[in-house]
Amino acid sequence: MTRVVAQKSRYLLQIGIAISIVMMPPLMHPIVYNQLLTTYMVLLLMLDARKPMVYQPRMLVMICQLGRDAKDLFRFDKQDLLRLRDALDLPRFKLRNGAVYNGEEALLILLSRIHVPGRWITVQKLFGGSIGKLSEVFNLVVCHLYHRYCVPLLQNLMHHAAHFADWARVIARKTDGAVDFVFAFLDGHFNECCQPGSAGPDVMYSGYYRGHGLKYQFLTAPNGLTIHLPPPFVGSTHDATMLDESGLVEELRGCIAHLGRHYSMYADAIYSLTAYCLIGYRRRDPNTTPAERNWTAIMNRPRTSVEWIIGKVGMTCALTTDAQQQKVGLQNLGMIYSVATLVTNLHTCCYGGVTNQFFETVPPSPEEYLEGL
């Protein structure tokens, strides 16, 4: 009985609001009109106070309205956005105030925010709602994607071990057989951030780059994907120190023991030469022979592909390049950058990149890349 009365009251209030909207001034005084309309809206909200606010999936409608602009806003066109929706299978995200965002709209909020550096008001104009809600949705999606996809795909080298032989053959073909056991390329990247307050500004500062930031260690494959990205290090960390402390060498040893064949990474001369990390000869070393210089030049050409992939992360997810938005202590920058790298990998799966053209390889589809997770 109570439910029926509440439902009838809701209908009456809706009729009252409709009548109020129709009775525009000069038939009704503006002050009286605003007070009456406000009263109706408050009563209507009181009836629905016990129901959680669910933001209905507007993804299909929004994409259809945007048309070609979808790729400009989200870096993916209409068909690939639908493929990502099905492949990622995002759940609903419930906010602290009880509001629930559908996984489809949460995905679009993530892509629009991470693609364009700037203020939240740009995203707010597209999706509506308060900036606090949009920010909370963004953080929830980042946390979900990091633990479900970034950890197994970007911090578990064994997940990619089955492709080591194929990647080594591609690199050997591109280097005219200079080496047949290198499967990936290693490099470090300094990402500038705001100057921290009490979080240790001296540790975050890098004298080489003349700024504050975090350092990331990239291991990339010839198919254009980043296959290993450990949590970030402070900006003053040396690249060789990152390799020693990241645990990548131990993971590679486990992969070699599992595959029964030796493989190695290739990096620039800033690293130390080991059985698991191959480097080129130093050009300024007077003891270097012409044959060694020629071998180094051959290997350095494909090695630059790791820098192309690092640069694509910044182009695809421009939020990571905005130092004013990289706030240590207020944001989990490591999670955000890992998710940006995941989004870049998915972009490569859909559209390829310079690295694929250089090595003449075909990246996996988004469904193949996320299979089994």
Side-chain angles (χ1 to χ4, degrees), residues 63 65-76 78:
I63 292 175
Q65 292 176 348
L66 291 174
R68 296 182 179 179
D69 296 334
K71 195 168 184 178
D72 296 332
L73 293 173
F74 308 113
R75 285 294 187 182
F76 295 89
K78 296 185 293 184

Side-chain angles (χ1 to χ4, degrees), residues 32-47:
V32 178
Y33 167 77
N34 292 332
Q35 291 179 349
L36 182 60
L37 185 59
T38 303
T39 303
Y40 280 141
M41 294 300 295
V42 170
L43 292 175
L44 187 60
L45 290 175
M46 289 175 62
L47 287 176

Side-chain angles (χ1 to χ4, degrees), residues 115-147:
H115 163 48
V116 181
R119 299 184 300 169
W120 270 104
I121 192 172
T122 306
V123 184
Q124 186 185 32
K125 290 180 180 179
L126 185 62
F127 295 94
S130 66
I131 295 179
K133 290 179 181 178
L134 295 174
S135 179
E136 187 175 355
V137 172
F138 175 80
N139 292 330
L140 290 175
V141 178
V142 167
C143 185
H144 174 82
L145 292 177
Y146 177 81
H147 291 289

Side-chain angles (χ1 to χ4, degrees), residues 149-156 159-160 226-227 342 369-370 373:
Y149 296 107
C150 293
V151 172
L153 288 174
L154 300 178
Q155 298 182 21
N156 181 20
H159 182 82
H160 308 280
T226 301
I227 60 176
L342 174 67
Y369 179 62
L370 301 175
L373 299 177

Side-chain angles (χ1 to χ4, degrees), residues 58-60 62-64 66-90 103-112 126-127 343 346-347 350-351 366-367:
R58 301 182 297 170
M59 183 174 185
L60 296 178
M62 182 179 296
I63 292 175
C64 293
L66 291 174
R68 296 182 179 179
D69 296 334
K71 195 168 184 178
D72 296 332
L73 293 173
F74 308 113
R75 285 294 187 182
F76 295 89
D77 58 25
K78 296 185 293 184
Q79 293 77 13
D80 292 321
L81 282 173
L82 298 177
R83 293 176 64 188
L84 291 183
R85 177 199 63 181
D86 298 333
L88 292 173
D89 190 25
L90 292 177
E104 297 175 342
E105 193 166 7
L107 174 62
L108 293 182
I109 292 173
L110 169 75
L111 294 177
S112 61
L126 185 62
F127 295 94
V343 172
L346 292 172
H347 189 275
C350 293
Y351 307 106
E367 294 81 7

Side-chain angles (χ1 to χ4, degrees), residues 171-342:
I171 295 175
R173 183 180 70 245
K174 198 64 181 179
T175 58
D176 298 328
V179 64
D180 61 352
F181 57 89
V182 170
F183 73 98
F185 300 100
L186 179 71
D187 199 7
H189 172 64
F190 178 83
N191 200 56
E192 189 177 0
C193 67
C194 289
Q195 179 177 350
S198 59
D202 296 336
V203 179
M204 304 295 298
Y205 184 81
S206 172
Y208 180 81
Y209 295 99
R210 298 181 181 275
H212 298 82
L214 296 173
K215 294 199 70 174
Y216 297 88
Q217 178 180 271
F218 278 80
L219 183 66
T220 63
N223 63 353
L225 302 182
T226 301
I227 60 176
H228 198 272
L229 182 72
F233 297 82
V234 294
S236 58
T237 308
H238 193 273
D239 288 4
T241 304
M242 288 197 298
L243 179 60
D244 294 337
E245 298 180 358
S246 64
L248 177 58
V249 175
E250 288 73 15
E251 292 188 46
L252 181 56
R253 288 173 181 168
C255 295
I256 293 174
H258 174 74
L259 297 173
R261 180 187 172 185
H262 181 76
Y263 290 98
S264 177
M265 307 170 287
Y266 186 82
D268 56 16
I270 198 172
Y271 292 89
S272 300
L273 176 64
T274 65
Y276 305 100
C277 184
L278 198 63
I279 63 173
Y281 295 94
R282 290 176 171 83
R283 291 177 297 177
R284 298 181 180 180
D285 188 351
N287 298 323
T288 303
T289 64
E292 293 172 342
R293 295 193 187 97
N294 182 57
W295 182 89
T296 302
I298 293 175
M299 292 299 299
N300 281 342
R301 281 196 292 268
R303 189 202 65 81
T304 55
S305 63
V306 64
E307 300 176 4
W308 302 340
I309 296 175
I310 294 174
K312 185 176 180 180
V313 175
M315 290 188 296
T316 306
C317 304
L319 179 66
T320 61
T321 63
D322 189 0
Q324 300 300 321
Q325 298 294 330
Q326 309 297 306
K327 303 172 183 177
V328 178
L330 298 179
Q331 300 171 325
N332 196 325
L333 300 182
M335 278 191 181
I336 295 176
Y337 199 90
S338 295
V339 172
T341 305
L342 174 67

